[in-house]
Amino acid sequence: MPLRQGELLKHRIITPILLSLSLLLIALPSRAQDARAVARLAPSASQLSLAAGEQVPFTVQALDLSGAIVDVPLRITGPRNAVSIENGMVQGLQPGEYEIVVTMVVPANTGLEPLSLRVPVVVTWPRASAVGVEARATVYEGTTVKHRAWVTHADNSVRPDPEIRWSSSDPSIATVDQFGNVTAQMLGTVTITASFEGVTDSVTHEVTAFPGSQIELMGRPDARVRTGDVIHFDAMVRDNGGSVVEDAPLSWSHSYTATEGMLGVPATGQMLGGKFVADIAGIHSVTVSAGPLSARASFEVSPREVVQELEVVGHGPENRYRTTDLWIFEGTDGRDYAITGSKVSGGFSFFYDVTNPALITKIDSIQVDARTINDVKASPDGRYAVLSREGATNRRDGLVILDMSDPTNPVIASFYDEGITGGVHNMFAADDYLYALANGDKYVIIDVADIYDPQYVSEYNHPDSRLHDVWVADGLAYSSEWGTGVVVVDVGNGRWGGSPENPVFVTSYATPSGATHATFPYYQESTGKTYLFLGDEIMNRRGLAWAGYPESMGSYSNRYDPSTGTGGIPLANRGYIQIIDFTDPENTQMVARYEVPEFGTHNIWVEDDKLYQAYYEGGLRVVDVSGELMGNLYTQGREISVFKPVSQTGYTQNATMVWGAQPHKGHVFFSDTNSGLWSVKLLPKQRPIS
């Protein structure tokens, strides 16, 4: 369900990002005198108010004491996905209250304190242009039928969760509540109206006598049911002649009988139409009603009991830098290797032999011109590897392609920056094609058949959207684009006419959190369903009872400073995995989630019906995702194992911060920002001794 407007604003990410890179890059020592002359920054407006989709002019000038303009570079930033700043214009993207931050760029080694200012920005919704309303069942006397209403704007965008005002033309015939539930009281004609901001739509019903005389509930489970198992119920209403009443409105409900020790549980199960899933063990009942008729089924649900012991196998410690992504692969020599990146390290990537997971051995390192190596990948055939670059000294970031023909001696094959000079945060490596992000704006497709001579093929840039990640499977590219959600593009599947040379948009799905950071597509053999696991990344816990350590204590990005007593604390974050049924790409639906309170998700891997989730402070979490998925997997007892690594000598001591996880040949490897590379293994479940 979409969040209400107030809730949406509360969950927005408002971390500033660079939106005008060219302004950042002009910081020349010859301008030191100009920078010293600046007395203040003068914006063209002290505050901005605009509707989503609207553009307004906005400029900032640096002035000296006399009011004359000083020509110095300025860095202008704004909240990601909330506003776009380009060519002297600000465009509203997402409603809410934000700030634009303007900072003067000063030359290095001058000791100047850069001036800055903040300009409040209020982005509102555009005016509603149309309301639609529908009912999906016939309104018979004595029945209640849910009506659905939606609101669109002039650009055909949909207002999330509008507060509709409902009314009935004759409440003696049918009443309607604030949620659109229409209850027929007597025979007659009635009109139900939905209103929003002066725009209305209506539907008229002829209330007739309810023809049903009996109801049958089908789908009672005849086998052992566990928490997390989805049970499908159906119901059939018949009239006096035995004919089926096809359009009879059905109402479903669920109840739970608490057993000893289970009183006061927060949730017992979830009902969605005729589908039910239990969160806890016990006696559950499902009831279906249609007018005066009802039927009920009771059944017992057992605990899922999937917990397995996890054994720590090996550890490749790293405390000089913060470890970022990892990639595990079989080399061309048949041995197993790992690559890791590092953050704010001066461009280091590390290479390990992990053939023996108990003896993780660092065998090499490569340093390139970069501030951070955020992402690392190896091709499926092990022929090449690739390192992302951010913060290169020449401001042409791009990526680095490595020849892995000898995995023990990685060699730089080529540098590539065509179309991706503005920073590569993430990428995806296939055998012949490489998909690389370009400054969070688009992804570029590169032909790497010859890794010593990579060639530009094409690119995809979703309009008015920022992206963080891209993953490719079965010829479909799934890009994670924050407020836009997941964007799916045909890059070789062919069903929509796409190819690497001609990417074709397929569909998109926006999540309520507006913080889609990573996507992992997974085909489930047992059900024939395709699920998309979408991960949030929200780097704060504002509004929660435990919001994290005060900022005055320092950020987790700093080591502990004994002279000031600051630093060395973990970062606060939140967010969860949202699971989309993508079996029919043209009819997608959110069906489940995996949400661990007070922690935030990062990278995702799903294999053999197990979710290997890097949950930052929440550690490595292995979750059973077998069978049909519905509801919150966390409350259903689907967690198999949880491990929170710490190191007394870590970059941030004794603090868990798991970045990414990957299963490989019976072991699970994961990287932790504060403590390096780990390998663990799930032990077989021990059967009870009879």
Side-chain angles (χ1 to χ4, degrees):
M1 288 290 292
L3 299 171
R4 298 181 186 276
Q5 183 172 349
E7 294 172 329
L8 180 66
L9 302 184
K10 184 172 64 179
H11 287 75
R12 292 295 304 159
I13 296 179
I14 58 173
T15 304
I17 61 169
L18 182 65
L19 295 178
S20 184
L21 190 62
S22 60
L23 295 178
L24 174 67
L25 305 184
I26 307 173
L28 305 177
S30 61
R31 294 197 171 188
Q33 186 61 46
D34 290 341
R36 293 189 183 96
V38 176
R40 63 187 178 94
L41 302 179
S44 58
S46 59
Q47 60 183 20
L48 298 175
S49 180
L50 67 164
E54 181 184 0
Q55 289 186 332
V56 297
F58 177 75
T59 56
V60 181
Q61 294 177 331
L63 306 178
D64 63 14
L65 288 173
S66 67
I69 297 174
V70 182
D71 184 17
V72 295
L74 302 175
R75 178 188 299 141
I76 305 179
T77 64
R80 179 169 52 203
N81 261 14
V83 295
S84 172
I85 308 170
E86 190 172 3
N87 299 324
M89 302 293 290
V90 173
Q91 181 180 16
L93 301 178
Q94 179 67 43
E97 297 181 5
Y98 311 102
E99 285 184 325
I100 291 175
V101 180
V102 183
T103 307
M104 181 178 69
V105 179
V106 299
N109 303 319
T110 62
L112 291 178
E113 187 71 24
L115 295 178
S116 66
L117 64 85
R118 295 175 179 268
V119 177
V121 181
V122 177
V123 181
T124 61
W125 290 107
R127 288 192 58 81
S129 62
V131 172
V133 62
E134 69 173 6
R136 297 182 177 178
T138 301
V139 180
Y140 291 112
E141 183 182 16
T143 66
T144 298
V145 175
K146 171 70 176 177
H147 286 51
R148 186 176 75 93
W150 61 95
V151 176
T152 56
H153 309 121
D155 62 358
N156 292 323
S157 61
V158 179
R159 178 76 60 92
D161 203 16
E163 295 186 2
I164 300 292
R165 294 185 60 184
W166 294 92
S167 61
S168 168
S169 62
D170 190 342
S172 67
I173 296 176
T175 59
V176 59
D177 66 15
Q178 61 180 321
F179 308 109
N181 297 306
V182 175
T183 301
Q185 309 291 338
M186 58 183 292
L187 307 183
T189 301
V190 66
T191 298
I192 304 299
T193 300
S195 304
F196 183 80
E197 293 183 351
V199 185
T200 65
D201 190 29
S202 301
V203 60
T204 299
H205 298 287
E206 186 67 36
V207 179
T208 59
F210 181 62
S213 61
Q214 56 180 325
I215 187 170
E216 178 185 359
L217 176 60
M218 299 166 287
R220 292 177 174 85
D222 54 6
R224 179 173 178 261
V225 177
R226 302 176 300 165
T227 55
D229 290 345
V230 179
I231 308 170
H232 289 254
F233 292 93
D234 199 0
M236 185 178 296
V237 176
R238 298 183 183 272
D239 60 19
N240 287 325
S243 298
V244 176
V245 182
E246 299 286 357
D247 57 356
L250 301 176
S251 177
W252 297 90
S253 62
H254 157 253
S255 60
Y256 171 75
T257 302
T259 55
E260 184 177 354
M262 295 303 292
L263 294 173
V265 293
T268 57
Q270 181 173 330
M271 198 90 212
L272 181 62
K275 294 197 296 184
F276 171 76
V277 62
D279 283 355
I280 62 173
I283 307 300
H284 294 261
S285 298
V286 167
T287 300
V288 62
S289 59
L293 307 176
S294 66
R296 174 175 170 169
S298 296
F299 47 93
E300 185 172 6
V301 176
S302 302
R304 196 163 189 89
E305 295 183 340
V306 296
V307 172
Q308 291 179 238
E309 186 178 349
L310 184 148
E311 177 183 62
V312 177
V313 177
H315 181 203
E318 176 56 66
N319 60 10
R320 293 171 299 167
Y321 312 112
R322 289 188 289 148
T323 303
T324 57
D325 206 8
L326 82 162
W327 196 262
I328 314 296
F329 67 103
E330 181 180 304
T332 54
D333 59 359
R335 296 181 66 82
D336 298 318
Y337 298 92
I339 312 172
T340 62
S342 57
K343 202 170 189 69
V344 196
S345 65
F348 273 103
S349 181
F350 301 102
F351 299 80
Y352 301 82
D353 187 322
V354 295
T355 308
N356 180 358
L359 189 63
I360 297 176
T361 305
K362 186 180 291 184
I363 57 175
D364 207 343
S365 66
I366 287 181
Q367 185 179 20
V368 298
D369 181 11
R371 180 184 68 253
T372 290
I373 304 295
N374 183 76
D375 195 23
V376 296
K377 292 286 191 299
S379 60
D381 58 12
R383 182 172 57 93
Y384 72 91
V386 59
L387 312 177
S388 70
R389 291 204 303 168
E390 293 178 275
T393 57
N394 64 357
R395 303 301 181 182
R396 296 185 63 87
D397 290 328
L399 48 81
V400 183
I401 301 174
L402 307 178
D403 185 340
M404 300 298 290
S405 56
D406 178 2
T408 64
N409 182 33
V411 175
I412 294 177
S414 56
F415 293 90
Y416 185 91
D417 61 15
E418 183 179 350
I420 54 173
T421 58
V424 178
H425 193 67
N426 270 299
M427 59 214 168
F428 184 89
D431 283 336
D432 295 324
Y433 294 96
L434 184 60
Y435 301 77
L437 268 63
N439 195 30
D441 184 49
K442 62 183 179 181
Y443 57 85
V444 172
I445 304 175
I446 306 161
D447 185 333
V448 286
D450 181 354
I451 59 174
Y452 286 87
D453 186 24
Q455 298 294 317
Y456 174 93
V457 177
S458 66
E459 61 187 55
Y460 182 80
N461 188 342
H462 200 70
D464 299 325
S465 188
R466 303 286 298 175
L467 77 158
H468 173 273
D469 199 5
V470 63
W471 194 273
V472 182
D474 298 324
L476 294 178
Y478 301 86
S479 54
S480 304
E481 310 215 3
W482 301 113
T484 307
V486 59
V487 174
V488 185
V489 175
D490 186 344
V491 292
N493 179 279
R495 176 177 169 183
W496 294 269
S499 67
E501 295 76 20
N502 178 41
V504 175
F505 172 77
V506 176
T507 189
S508 63
Y509 192 100
T511 60
S513 64
T516 302
H517 161 275
T519 301
F520 197 101
Y522 177 65
Y523 173 74
Q524 190 183 68
E525 291 187 2
S526 62
T527 63
K529 291 180 176 292
T530 296
Y531 289 110
L532 301 185
F533 290 77
L534 311 184
D536 294 333
E537 186 181 53
I538 303 175
M539 305 308 289
N540 65 77
R541 284 202 288 266
R542 284 190 293 270
L544 298 184
W546 169 234
Y549 295 98
E551 292 184 6
S552 60
M553 294 181 64
S555 167
Y556 92 117
S557 62
N558 300 317
R559 293 176 184 268
Y560 177 71
D561 184 348
S563 64
T564 63
T566 62
I569 64 172
L571 176 70
N573 50 74
R574 60 176 169 172
Y576 56 94
I577 300 298
Q578 298 166 78
I579 304 171
I580 311 301
D581 187 338
F582 196 72
T583 308
D584 178 2
E586 296 173 354
N587 184 27
T588 56
Q589 180 184 19
M590 184 181 294
V591 293
R593 68 171 61 189
Y594 173 59
E595 181 175 12
V596 181
E598 293 189 354
F599 297 126
T601 65
H602 202 238
N603 291 347
I604 310 163
W605 198 287
V606 187
E607 188 173 296
D608 295 332
D609 285 352
K610 291 183 178 67
L611 165 66
Y612 299 91
Q613 181 59 55
Y615 225 108
Y616 272 155
E617 289 174 276
L620 166 70
R621 312 185 82 95
V622 185
V623 184
D624 170 19
V625 292
S626 63
E628 186 176 357
L629 304 179
M630 175 177 160
N632 187 357
L633 311 187
Y634 176 75
T635 59
Q636 296 169 4
R638 283 182 173 266
E639 287 192 312
I640 296 171
S641 191
V642 174
F643 178 65
K644 299 183 180 182
V646 294
S647 172
Q648 292 181 338
T649 60
Y651 188 92
T652 301
Q653 297 178 15
N654 298 321
T656 297
M657 204 69 183
V658 177
W659 181 286
Q662 182 182 344
H664 184 78
K665 296 184 179 180
H667 290 79
V668 183
F669 295 86
F670 66 90
S671 59
D672 182 272
T673 290
N674 296 321
S675 55
L677 178 64
W678 295 76
S679 65
V680 297
K681 184 176 183 178
L682 290 173
L683 300 181
K685 288 194 65 174
Q686 300 295 319
R687 294 185 177 275
I689 300 175
S690 59

